[in-house]
Amino acid sequence: MESLTTPARPAVTPPPVLVLGASSLVGPFLVARLSQGGRSGTCTSRRLSTDRGSLPAGFEWRRLDVTDPADWRVEPGTAVLSLLPLWLLPPLLPHLSAAGQIVALGSTSVLVKSDSADPLERDLARRLADAESSIAAFCGASGLRWTILRPTLIHDCRRDANVTAIARFIRRIGFFPVGSPASGLRQPIHADDVAAAMVAALENDLATGRSINLPGGETMTYREMVRRVFVALDRPARIVPLPVPLLAAGTGLARRVTGVDYSPALFARMNQDLAFDDSDAVKCLGYGACPLRPRFTPP
């Protein structure tokens, strides 16, 4: 008797991806995860320098100045993943109207810096909030699927302005000053966990039309975060608590040592809780970030 078999369904090729700002902190991790998932597409950067790194098969670099895109348009159906500063995305949206989906990286700064003592930080929070509203409005009117992910302190142990900047200071000075008692809560998140969340948002109805916070895998005080960096560097934890006003007056030294243009408000925030609920990320993205266990490359 002849057996009956169900014909195999043809494999569905996922739409191409466009990674805006691929040379940013999260970029290499995101492209690697996309490639591992069988995706291909284009990575854009404002400058294509020789040190931009190689790309996996199926990806190519393209120079794109998002402030002057000329007549450029995205290929229809493309899944757009934006690592740009969020306020740069709304002016680009008319060029992305044919996309199938947009997943953009925002920041929890939109929630914590709106009442900062530093006017530049208040302006940052305003720009983030305005960008979120503009993206939601444009995509809603265009029928375009969108998701905004808001990570906390991103680190990659190579070039971030958070955990790695602390390590840079410790290596050069031998101790680390904190605004006493440095008890504010933090949730540092690795760039690869951010990349994983962005990939999880693709073709994901649960994540569509939402802004989702992405906290790190554990919550700790600012002082404990610094202590973990000392441990990773295999150095005794020389943490020096100092009055916040004194530290705020020394931002110039921190800038010279780390290369990061710190706001004086940073030191007051060392005693402010900046912790967020991950329940939406877990429910919508199956999210599960790693704990902070930094591993630094030799200087």
Side-chain angles (χ1 to χ4, degrees), residues 188-200:
I189 180 173
H190 195 279
D192 188 51
D193 286 323
V194 177
M198 296 190 77
V199 173

Side-chain angles (χ1 to χ4, degrees), residues 49-62:
S49 61
T50 56
D51 64 350
R52 66 185 183 273
S54 59
L55 290 174
F59 283 86
E60 63 178 2
W61 279 104
R62 172 175 180 154

Side-chain angles (χ1 to χ4, degrees), residues 33 189 192-193 196-197 214-218 278 281-282 285-291:
R33 283 188 172 270
I189 180 173
D192 188 51
D193 286 323
L214 294 182
E218 59 181 322
D278 68 351
V282 172
L285 304 170
Y287 183 66
C290 297

Side-chain angles (χ1 to χ4, degrees), residues 1 5 21 32 36 57-58 67 73 94 120 131 150 164 183 195 226 230 245 250 253 265 289-290:
M1 181 175 180
T5 59
Q36 291 162 11
T67 64
R73 292 289 187 277
L120 293 178
R150 300 172 177 153
T164 303
S183 59
V226 173
F230 274 103
L253 172 62
C290 297

Side-chain angles (χ1 to χ4, degrees), residues 200-201 204-208 210-215 277-288:
N204 183 340
D205 291 339
L206 291 177
T208 297
R210 301 179 65 118
S211 294
I212 301 173
N213 296 333
L214 294 182
D277 183 9
D278 68 351
S279 58
D280 281 349
V282 172
K283 178 178 68 175
C284 299
L285 304 170
Y287 183 66

Side-chain angles (χ1 to χ4, degrees), residues 62-294:
R62 172 175 180 154
R63 182 187 177 278
L64 177 65
D65 184 349
V66 297
T67 64
D68 185 20
D71 59 352
W72 172 81
R73 292 289 187 277
V74 72
E75 182 180 338
T78 297
V80 177
L81 298 107
S82 174
L83 304 177
L84 301 169
L86 196 63
W87 54 88
L88 294 181
L89 187 57
L92 197 63
L93 290 174
H95 299 266
L96 303 175
S97 58
Q101 181 180 12
I102 295 177
V103 179
L105 203 61
S107 172
T108 52
S109 292
V110 70
L111 304 174
V112 300
K113 293 184 177 179
S114 59
D115 58 354
S116 170
D118 186 337
L120 293 178
E121 291 190 342
R122 293 197 302 272
D123 182 64
L124 170 65
R126 179 191 58 77
R127 285 186 290 163
L128 287 167
D130 289 349
E132 287 198 9
S133 297
S134 296
I135 292 166
F138 181 93
C139 292
S142 305
L144 182 55
R145 299 171 65 181
W146 65 274
T147 304
I148 295 173
L149 302 180
R150 300 172 177 153
T152 49
L153 294 175
I154 304 177
H155 67 93
D156 68 346
C157 296
R158 290 184 290 183
R159 55 192 178 108
D160 64 90
N162 299 307
V163 173
T164 303
I166 293 172
R168 196 176 299 125
F169 190 100
I170 291 169
R171 278 172 167 159
R172 183 162 177 184
I173 306 299
F175 68 90
F176 194 83
V178 297
S180 181
S183 59
L185 298 180
R186 294 295 185 273
Q187 297 165 315
I189 180 173
H190 195 279
D192 188 51
D193 286 323
V194 177
M198 296 190 77
V199 173
L202 292 173
E203 291 93 41
N204 183 340
D205 291 339
L206 291 177
T208 297
R210 301 179 65 118
S211 294
I212 301 173
N213 296 333
L214 294 182
E218 59 181 322
T219 303
M220 66 196 72
T221 64
Y222 192 97
R223 184 184 182 112
E224 172 60 16
M225 182 174 71
V226 173
R227 190 193 71 81
R228 300 276 184 98
V229 177
F230 274 103
V231 170
L233 295 173
D234 196 22
R235 296 195 181 197
R238 296 192 174 101
I239 301 173
V240 182
L242 294 172
V244 168
L246 180 61
L247 277 173
T251 53
L253 172 62
R255 186 181 304 114
R256 288 193 296 273
V257 172
T258 65
V260 178
D261 190 12
Y262 288 116
S263 164
L266 165 72
F267 302 104
R269 276 201 306 275
M270 288 181 181
N271 293 295
Q272 178 184 353
D273 289 345
L274 305 181
F276 301 88
D277 183 9
D278 68 351
S279 58
D280 281 349
V282 172
K283 178 178 68 175
C284 299
L285 304 170
Y287 183 66
C290 297
L292 177 65
R293 299 291 187 272

